Amino acid sequence: MLSNSCRYGIRAVIYIASRQKASGKTGIKAISEALELPTPYLAKILQQLARHKILHSAKGPHGGFSMLRDPAKVTLLDIIEIIDGSDFFRNCIIHDGNCSCIDKNILPCPIHDEYGALRSGLIELFKNRTIYDMAKKANENSSVTI
Amino acid sequence: MLSNSCRYGIRAVIYIASRQKASGKTGIKAISEALELPTPYLAKILQQLARHKILHSAKGPHGGFSMLRDPAKVTLLDIIEIIDGSDFFRNCIIHDGNCSCIDKNILPCPIHDEYGALRSGLIELFKNRTIYDMAKKANENSSVTI
DNA sequence: TTAAAATCGGATAAAAGAATATTTTTCTTT
DNA sequence: AAAGAAAAATATTCTTTTATCCGATTTTAA
């Protein structure tokens, strides 16, 4: 459902937020080692999030990434929309393009109603979970993996 | 969420089932024209479904595809598993590989419980909707699109 | 035996994923 | 202040996967 890029991005942001208090900025190397992700690929993703003002990035010695926006105000949905776009949230499950509940000129597919309800549930979940929530969980509860 | 191949396959099977009563076999050309799908690509997908005994295929004049298994006993999940595999139903939302509820050695991710519930809902939906249901809907209800 | 169909193998294109090399910025040290 | 080093940013290239197309072959009913 979510692309690799998107999952990497989400995990990295949670990690950055979870270390914010203790150590300020976190270098790309530290992140990719901790999460076991390919460094240059992750760098590209974090650059994208920095351009979208989710993260702050600092070059030079002791540089690295930190949260620019308040983690409590960044939702999963924000990150997903930046990296994967919002097609998923608008599309029908068996057709290209918009779902009939977005484009009223399209007739619904045979499982429109049931799928629509589940899709709404997903959107709500993504909209309600903030980076703050998840970073906190990761910090105080060691039985959780980022 | 579902690949193009998978969505094409589902729609084609519904179409074949919906025409079964009236006209028996349906040719690949007729299907791809009706659903506006690329003919040779669709052919490959249908061959795959034929190998997995969902469809029957007949060469020669008046050949074409028809349902091999009873449409009432073919679920969406059956088709999805053949074409896209079952990774989606086993995976965590932010990690590669199995979810912690499949592999007990893995610690859950920070949104494991909430996502798990929604994922189960999707699986149930895919398991409960049969090709028969959807073909019937398409036949008797012209305000639905395959 | 011919024409209509599916089948099969490979060719091509586009997108996603990943790695390498270079450049730019900024801190630190002299 | 200048030089050097550390870090991210950018650009380029490579690989893999997904999507698509095409030509040749096989099958089979009329």
Side-chain angles (χ1 to χ4, degrees), chain B residues 35-49:
Chain B
L35 305 182
E36 297 181 338
L37 300 176
T39 310
Y41 186 42
L42 182 61
K44 254 188 189 165
I45 298 164
L46 296 190
Q47 283 159 32
Q48 197 180 353
L49 293 173

Side-chain angles (χ1 to χ4, degrees), chain A:
Chain A
M1 176 158 66
L2 302 179
S3 69
N4 278 358
S5 303
C6 192
R7 292 186 288 113
Y8 293 178
I10 290 168
R11 294 174 59 200
V13 172
I14 296 174
Y15 185 72
I16 292 165
S18 78
R19 312 225 320 166
Q20 189 106 295
K21 277 253 172 63
S23 42
K25 300 183 195 313
T26 311
I28 182 76
K29 208 68 173 293
I31 303 169
S32 61
E33 269 167 26
L35 305 182
E36 298 183 332
L37 300 177
T39 311
Y41 186 42
L42 182 61
K44 242 182 201 172
I45 297 164
L46 296 189
Q47 284 158 30
Q48 197 179 353
L49 292 173
R51 280 195 298 276
H52 281 85
K53 311 290 185 195
I54 302 285
L55 296 177
H56 174 257
S57 74
K59 294 182 177 183
H62 306 116
F65 292 90
S66 58
M67 296 298 300
L68 180 55
R69 255 168 63 190
D70 177 357
K73 295 205 174 123
V74 178
T75 68
L76 270 187
L77 189 65
D78 294 326
I79 299 178
I80 295 170
E81 285 189 327
I82 289 171
I83 300 178
D84 279 353
S86 53
D87 280 1
F88 173 76
F89 305 114
R90 289 196 306 248
N91 285 175
C92 164
I93 196 170
I94 58 168
H95 293 116
D96 280 336
N98 286 336
C99 181
S100 62
C101 54
I102 301 284
D103 180 345
K104 299 300 181 189
N105 297 320
I106 300 175
L107 292 175
C109 81
I111 54 167
H112 173 82
D113 293 343
E114 302 92 324
Y115 174 66
L118 287 166
R119 186 183 50 197
S120 300
L122 266 181
I123 296 174
E124 281 309 303
L125 172 58
F126 292 153
K127 200 181 280 178
N128 290 328
R129 301 319 300 276
T130 69
I131 296 301
Y132 172 78
D133 296 336
M134 296 186 286
K136 189 174 158 203
K137 212 176 224 177
N139 267 339
E140 69 193 19
N141 185 345
S142 61
S143 63
V144 152
T145 330
I146 302 178

